[in-house]
Amino acid sequence: QVQLVESGGGLVQAGGSLRLSCKVSGTMSGTIFSTSSMGWYRQAPGKQRELVAVITSGGSTNYADSVKGRFAISRDNAKNTVDLQMNSLKSEDTGVYYCNARAIGIFVWGQGTQVTVSS
C-alpha cells in the first residue's frame, strides 16, 4: 500500500513564502512514484478542491492560472518526493493542500497540510 505524507504547511504573512513537501512511501513506492504524475491540490473553506500544480513522470509541469509565476513544482525521483515552492503568497492561497499520485491503477491522496496566509 502506498502512502503520501505532506509537510511544510503553516501560517505566513501575505507576500511570504512556504515550501511544501510530499513523501511517497510504502510497497513499491519507488516504482509507483517514478511512473506517476504528482499533483498538488488545495481546498479552501466552503470551496471545491482545485488543482494547483502537476508534474508528470517526464517532468512536464502545469499550473493553475492563479499561481503561475509564483509557485513552482518539482520532483526528486531518488527521494520519492514532490515539492511545491510557494512565493508571493496571497490570502486567497489559504487552504488545505493535498498531494496526489496518479498513474494507471493508482490514484492516492495524502492527508493534507494547512496553509494560512494572513493579510
Side-chain angles (χ1 to χ4, degrees):
Q1 189 172 0
V2 174
Q3 297 90 36
L4 278 60
V5 178
E6 302 97 335
S7 61
L11 174 64
V12 64
Q13 287 189 334
S17 298
L18 279 176
R19 187 176 184 88
L20 306 183
S21 187
C22 172
K23 171 76 172 178
V24 179
S25 62
T27 305
M28 295 182 63
S29 56
T31 299
I32 290 171
F33 182 83
S34 65
T35 58
S36 293
S37 288
M38 300 298 300
W40 283 97
Y41 292 72
R42 68 187 178 193
Q43 188 165 18
K47 294 187 177 181
Q48 290 188 331
R49 193 173 298 188
E50 63 176 356
L51 176 67
V52 175
V54 63
I55 184 167
T56 68
S57 58
S60 297
T61 59
N62 195 27
Y63 297 90
D65 288 343
S66 60
V67 307
K68 283 181 181 177
R70 300 188 297 123
F71 290 12
I73 189 170
S74 60
R75 65 190 296 158
D76 187 330
N77 287 344
K79 296 181 179 179
N80 293 350
T81 58
V82 57
D83 291 351
L84 184 69
Q85 177 65 42
M86 305 187 294
N87 300 324
S88 302
L89 283 161
K90 305 175 181 179
S91 57
E92 51 263 44
D93 294 319
T94 293
V96 179
Y97 282 68
Y98 297 91
C99 181
N100 173 264
R102 181 192 299 254
I104 296 176
I106 299 292
F107 191 81
V108 184
W109 291 100
Q111 84 288 350
T113 185
Q114 177 70 46
V115 171
T116 302
V117 183
S118 63
S119 56

